[in-house]
Amino acid sequence: AMTAWVNLTAQISLTVLVIALGFAFLRLLLGPSTPDRVVALDTLATLLVGALIVHAILVEETHSLRVAAVLALVNFIGTVGFALYLRRRNTS
């Protein structure tokens, strides 16, 4: 059973994460440069992982944790791929 403090903390955390997702999405739309948009997309994915974990705590189930783990791995691979692309582009 979830205590009232855990529930309150999770609700506040989810609210803050949703606000942060809004700001990151705004940066994704406004840019101005491609690296800005890539960092915003990376931030969006990271915040979404956090929101999925908090959601799993609130509803007391583990399916969201699996989705969060897969999203975190895909996000990491994408970030590494973009970093390698930038390095290759700058050295040539």
Side-chain angles (χ1 to χ4, degrees):
M2 190 180 340
T3 65
W5 283 106
V6 172
N7 190 22
L8 177 64
T9 304
Q11 290 286 347
I12 292 170
S13 299
L14 200 55
T15 302
V16 170
L17 284 166
V18 168
I19 292 169
L21 278 163
F23 283 126
F25 188 72
L26 190 62
R27 175 52 54 200
L28 180 67
L29 292 178
L30 296 178
S33 67
T34 301
D36 289 327
R37 288 188 169 97
V38 170
V39 170
L41 191 60
D42 186 50
T43 303
L44 276 169
T46 303
L47 290 169
L48 191 57
V49 167
L52 284 167
I53 292 170
V54 173
H55 175 265
I57 292 169
L58 278 173
V59 298
E60 298 182 42
E61 57 87 16
T62 60
H63 294 87
S64 296
L65 295 176
R66 293 183 184 112
V67 174
V70 170
L71 179 59
L73 286 171
V74 170
N75 184 35
F76 174 73
I77 291 169
T79 301
V80 169
F82 185 71
L84 290 173
Y85 165 75
L86 284 179
R87 192 176 89 183
R88 186 175 304 145
R89 190 181 70 167
N90 288 337
T91 57
S92 345

